[in-house]
Amino acid sequence: MASRFDWIQKELKNLNKNGLYNHIRTLDSPQGAWLVVDGKKVLNFCSNNYLGLANHPRLVEAAQKALGQYGVGPGAVRTIAGTMEIHHQLEKRVAAFKHSPAAISFQSGFTANLATIPALVGKEDVIFSDELNHASIIDGCRLSGARVLRYNHCDPLHLEQVIKENEDNYRRALIVTDGVFSMDGDIAPLDRLYEIAEGYDILLMVDDAHGEGVLGKGGRGIVDHFNLHGKVDIEVGTFSKAFGVVGGVVSGNADIVEWLTQRGRPFLFSSAVTPPDVAACIAAIDLLEESTELVDKLWSNGAYFKQELNTLGFDTGKSQTPITPVMLGEAQLAQDFSRLLFERGIFATSIGYPTVPQGKARIRVMISAAHSTADLDKGLEGFKAVGKELGVI
Ligand SMILES: *Cc1c(COP(=O)(O)O)cnc(C)c1O
């Protein structure tokens, strides 16, 4: 008998048939260079744990201490039950770390975007958005009700053309871009975007989720990388990637940060991250302020792995960061590649449509400071063997 869920079954079968179904592995270990997945020890090339902080003893200890001091939960949203001192501390520390006027924390990078974009622009406004922006930016743009005008990926000349075509046709405007594009590892030309934003008096927002803890001096992010301190209006960050914890943050212009305490809906209608999370984030900032060692290791690991893959004959796209895409084309090939790697004890997920365009499926290798050279060599051996087996190299 037909049921009202039949369409779901049909859609799921289609995903499976097209190699687009997300097969989610279950971990029996903390995050690190190695994982226990479905009972098997495998080399981890999947996580955004760039600096190996997700299970770092200093972060774990800070979280445990905060548990004792503040308990497990924040009680309610900050505007209603009051905000814990530790959340203020985190915000002050982030602002100082990034040499930014002010900062406000959120539950995640995703909610930081959903909070910020609709608070700044609405129906009478326009958003100039890089065509490859992250889903959370796209959703934030949709929620705002503003007219969204996409410009070609990382193309300031095209951005300027689109702005000119629409000049005098809006109340306010916002330029928004990812900092590091997560699927390709390329970096937004933020210096050029800043000049354009200044020239046309447009708000400028960068989502630096993959640049936080990676780019700039000691991981201070994309604004530091381009030396644009105090010039970029809004810098969104996440604590879930290089920082190894969870949570989001907006730093930048102090008026905007204050406005978000009044009009950022996820701030007003959703509780803050837990005190242990916040304490762990602060411990991560401590580590990054003490030494650039982890960030340096991340970059040297990334450079080594990419260079060796290229020598083997793989196409690693246009990455400028430790994110290493291995371009394969068809989604089915990428899935087969990932499965054969896994059989060899290497966990590297394939990524296909709709996360990347059709025909641009790939394995995305996420390099971490936690990897040793021996780990990277084991990975390269696996890529070589599977690449030959499938006729990629
Ligand atoms: C991962 C990512 C996010 C989401 O961050 P979470 O803290 O995991 O919600 C937002 N924006 C970009 C560009 C990302 O890569």
Side-chain angles (χ1 to χ4, degrees):
M1 204 179 82
S3 98
R4 65 184 180 282
F5 308 118
D6 282 350
W7 65 273
I8 297 179
Q9 288 297 336
K10 205 170 120 211
E11 294 290 342
L12 289 171
K13 273 200 196 105
N14 272 336
L15 290 179
N16 244 315
K17 201 176 73 199
N18 297 321
L20 299 174
Y21 188 89
N22 280 323
H23 299 279
I24 305 174
R25 307 267 190 193
T26 306
L27 309 185
D28 303 310
S29 66
Q31 279 292 341
W34 290 81
L35 302 171
V36 180
V37 179
D38 302 329
K40 182 174 158 176
K41 195 171 171 223
V42 293
L43 182 58
N44 180 14
F45 279 146
C46 297
S47 81
N48 300 320
N49 184 22
Y50 286 109
L51 302 176
L53 297 184
N55 189 36
H56 192 286
R58 288 266 299 273
L59 274 70
V60 172
E61 192 193 330
Q64 280 166 341
K65 205 168 140 224
L67 261 181
Q69 196 175 346
Y70 294 98
V72 290
V77 300
R78 294 168 69 180
T79 48
I80 292 178
T83 187
M84 287 173 169
E85 170 55 24
I86 195 169
H87 290 90
H88 280 319
Q89 267 180 44
L90 174 62
E91 288 161 347
K92 281 190 199 128
R93 291 293 303 277
V94 171
F97 176 65
K98 296 166 85 74
H99 308 301
S100 183
I104 174 171
S105 70
F106 288 92
Q107 302 84 358
S108 69
F110 203 110
T111 58
N113 281 324
L114 297 192
T116 306
I117 300 170
L120 296 177
V121 286
K123 284 195 178 64
E124 299 160 74
D125 306 322
V126 297
I127 300 170
F128 302 103
S129 176
D130 187 291
E131 64 178 336
L132 293 189
N133 275 343
H134 187 260
S136 57
I137 296 179
I138 294 171
D139 287 6
C141 291
R142 284 182 185 149
L143 269 178
S144 76
R147 200 151 51 94
V148 180
L149 302 165
R150 301 204 307 173
Y151 61 89
N152 295 342
H153 177 54
C154 286
D155 185 345
L157 289 178
H158 187 237
L159 167 62
E160 194 161 8
Q161 185 191 323
V162 178
I163 293 172
K164 278 191 185 135
E165 282 164 12
N166 290 276
E167 232 178 336
D168 303 325
N169 217 351
Y170 53 77
R171 180 186 61 171
R172 279 199 295 272
L174 171 74
I175 297 169
V176 61
T177 182
D178 276 32
V180 175
F181 288 82
S182 59
M183 293 302 144
D184 291 293
D186 51 339
I187 302 174
L190 196 61
D191 47 352
R192 295 281 295 113
L193 301 184
Y194 167 69
E195 285 168 15
I196 294 171
E198 272 296 289
Y200 291 87
D201 200 21
I202 294 174
L203 286 165
L204 177 61
M205 169 168 169
V206 62
D207 176 352
D208 198 30
H210 281 274
E212 204 86 74
V214 175
L215 285 181
K217 182 172 176 292
R220 282 166 174 75
I222 191 166
V223 169
D224 188 83
H225 173 81
F226 284 104
N227 212 4
L228 290 169
H229 307 99
K231 293 178 172 168
V232 175
D233 302 312
I234 308 125
E235 187 180 7
V236 171
T238 176
F239 298 120
S240 70
K241 290 173 178 151
F243 278 68
V245 195
V246 72
V249 65
V250 172
S251 50
N253 177 278
D255 289 335
I256 290 176
V257 166
E258 188 182 354
W259 181 238
L260 291 175
T261 68
Q262 306 302 310
R263 284 293 179 273
R265 287 170 70 82
F267 184 87
L268 296 167
F269 296 103
S270 180
S271 297
V273 292
T274 72
D277 292 325
V278 176
C281 292
I282 293 173
I285 298 175
D286 288 340
L287 279 173
L288 290 176
E289 284 182 344
E290 281 164 26
S291 161
T292 63
E293 192 184 327
L294 289 173
V295 178
D296 296 342
K297 179 85 187 303
L298 167 68
W299 282 89
S300 64
N301 275 354
Y304 174 73
F305 199 78
K306 217 179 281 170
Q307 186 195 327
E308 295 298 310
L309 278 179
N310 291 336
T311 306
L312 286 171
F314 286 103
D315 172 7
T316 56
K318 52 190 175 179
S319 173
Q320 300 166 269
T321 61
I323 295 172
T324 307
V326 179
M327 307 304 289
L328 293 166
E330 290 314 309
Q332 194 57 58
L333 174 63
Q335 279 214 343
D336 290 344
F337 205 111
S338 173
R339 185 174 41 77
L340 291 172
L341 282 175
F342 194 78
E343 284 172 13
R344 292 173 175 273
I346 298 162
F347 185 26
T349 310
S350 63
I351 295 181
Y353 181 81
T355 312
V356 294
Q358 300 264 22
K360 297 232 163 145
R362 65 199 66 182
I363 304 267
R364 186 183 58 158
V365 180
M366 297 304 279
I367 297 297
S368 168
H371 291 121
S372 67
T373 307
D375 294 337
L376 299 179
D377 286 340
K378 179 179 163 66
L380 290 164
E381 227 171 80
F383 267 90
K384 184 175 172 188
V386 175
K388 291 217 155 114
E389 189 175 339
L390 293 178
V392 177
I393 53 168

